[in-house]
């Protein structure tokens, strides 16, 4: 496959940035998208040019670091995948592929396609945890949990914090991410002790960091690589309202 790439290049958060065009040739359809970028960077290095900066780690679809906006879609033209799971067979020979970083005021560009997603870490630090002293490891059946609740908690905890929901949302909202974290703990008895403080603190931190509001368009759910349901947003809203009523 021979392809033309329109890639966003930006020195830092203060730089205005611009698209630059590159060409790659003889790319196998079985090559992953990140491997294709590796090939491009290898060519650029041999030409004495700066390689394109992009984020990645295990390339197994579990860390959420490979956050790229490809041809107008978070993680590219496939469903329920991260960028590292995208393969070039999803494109055609001669295609022009547009590659951008996440676009969100809360995710400033570090360089090129890499963005600073530490805002998610700050939200988690505000309340996405259980601080009660549990002592030793209890037996698995010491605290019986209904299967329905356990399944919902596990579904919510599948969130990998990649930021596709924020990049896809027209408002740049982090509601799906926050809702998944709150919901994962709200359905477990261990998480009920700090439930009120958690919902208020995480929502307040999300607003403080500049994420937009949720208008329930469902775009976040549609592009989430782990299929996190917006039903969790409803639970977050209930948790938040109950916390405010208790105040």
């Amino acid at each position: 496959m021979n392809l033309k790439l329109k890639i966003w290049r930006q020195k830092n958060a203060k730089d205005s940035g611009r698209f630059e065009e590159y060409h790659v040739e003889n790319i196998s359809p079985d090559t992953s998208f990140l491997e294709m970028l590796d090939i491009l960077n290898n060519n650029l290095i041999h030409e004495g040019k700066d390689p394109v900066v992009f984020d990645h780690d295990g390339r197994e679809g579990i860390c959420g670091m490979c956050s790229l906006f490809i041809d107008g879609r978070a993680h590219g033209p496939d469903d329920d995948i991260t960028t590292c799971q995208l393969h070039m067979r999803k494109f055609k020979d001669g295609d022009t592929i547009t590659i951008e970083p996440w676009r969100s005021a809360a995710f400033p560009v570090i360089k090129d396609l890499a963005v600073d997603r530490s805002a998610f870490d700050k939200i988690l630090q505000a309340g996405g945890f259980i601080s009660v002293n549990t002592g030793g490891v209890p037996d698995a059946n010491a605290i019986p949990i209904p299967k329905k609740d356990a399944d919902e908690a596990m579904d919510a905890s599948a969130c990998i914090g990649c930021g596709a929901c924020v990049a896809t949302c027209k408002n740049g909202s982090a509601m799906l991410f926050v809702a998944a974290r709150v919901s994962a703990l709200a359905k477990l008895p261990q998480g009920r002790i700090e439930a009120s403080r958690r919902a208020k603190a995480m929502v307040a931190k999300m607003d403080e960091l500049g994420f937009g509001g949720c208008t329930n368009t469902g775009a976040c759910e549609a592009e989430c690589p782990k299929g996190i349901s917006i039903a969790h947003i409803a639970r977050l809203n209930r948790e938040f309202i109950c916390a405010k009523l208790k105040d």
Side-chain angles (χ1 to χ4, degrees):
M1 299 172 66
N2 297 328
L3 305 160
K4 181 168 77 171
L5 308 176
K6 291 180 63 178
I7 301 179
W8 185 259
R9 304 301 305 264
Q10 186 171 339
K11 292 182 179 180
N12 50 53
K14 296 181 179 180
D15 184 36
S16 58
R18 73 284 178 196
F19 280 105
E20 292 189 3
E21 292 188 0
Y22 302 93
H23 292 83
V24 287
E25 300 177 347
N26 302 318
I27 301 297
S28 168
D30 295 324
T31 301
S32 75
F33 197 86
L34 295 190
E35 287 172 337
M36 181 274 294
L37 289 179
D38 288 338
I39 293 171
L40 169 66
N41 277 345
N42 186 61
N43 294 340
L44 291 176
I45 291 171
H46 280 292
E47 294 170 5
K49 300 177 181 177
D50 287 338
V52 177
V53 175
F54 62 95
D55 231 341
H56 63 91
D57 192 6
R59 302 195 180 196
E60 296 176 341
I62 58 175
C63 70
M65 292 183 67
C66 53
S67 47
L68 299 181
F69 211 68
I70 304 166
D71 283 348
R73 286 189 66 180
H75 293 304
D78 203 351
D79 298 323
D80 302 324
I81 56 105
T82 53
T83 305
C84 62
Q85 296 172 303
L86 178 67
H87 287 81
M88 299 311 296
R89 51 181 169 266
K90 286 294 179 179
F91 303 92
K92 298 177 181 178
D93 183 36
D95 275 357
T96 297
I97 305 174
T98 303
I99 311 169
E100 304 173 72
W102 284 168
R103 301 292 191 182
S104 171
F107 293 159
V109 172
I110 298 173
K111 187 174 181 180
D112 294 340
L113 303 175
V115 300
D116 180 358
R117 292 178 300 147
S118 61
F120 272 4
D121 297 327
K122 294 174 183 177
I123 293 174
L124 291 178
Q125 290 165 4
F129 55 84
I130 296 172
S131 62
V132 62
N133 185 2
T134 57
V137 179
D139 292 336
N141 60 351
I143 305 177
I145 300 171
K147 186 177 186 305
K148 183 177 182 295
D149 291 345
D151 287 345
E152 286 190 50
M154 286 298 292
D155 288 344
S157 64
C159 171
I160 57 176
C162 67
C165 50
V166 177
T168 300
C169 177
K170 66 179 183 179
N171 306 319
S173 173
M175 278 291 281
L176 189 64
F177 168 76
V178 176
R181 299 305 187 185
V182 167
S183 197
L185 296 174
K187 299 300 292 184
L188 302 177
Q190 298 93 331
R192 297 312 306 165
I193 299 172
E194 299 172 298
S196 295
R197 188 194 65 79
R198 177 182 302 112
K200 291 185 295 183
M202 293 182 75
V203 169
K205 180 60 69 172
M206 174 181 65
D207 293 341
E208 175 191 325
L209 293 170
F211 291 99
C214 175
T215 50
N216 293 311
T217 63
C220 53
E221 178 184 314
E223 295 295 355
C224 174
K226 299 302 177 182
I228 306 296
S229 171
I230 58 173
H232 294 298
I233 295 179
R235 178 170 294 112
L236 169 60
N237 288 333
R238 290 195 295 271
E239 293 281 318
F240 183 79
I241 291 172
C242 287
K244 285 296 187 179
L245 288 175
K246 286 180 181 178
D247 287 346

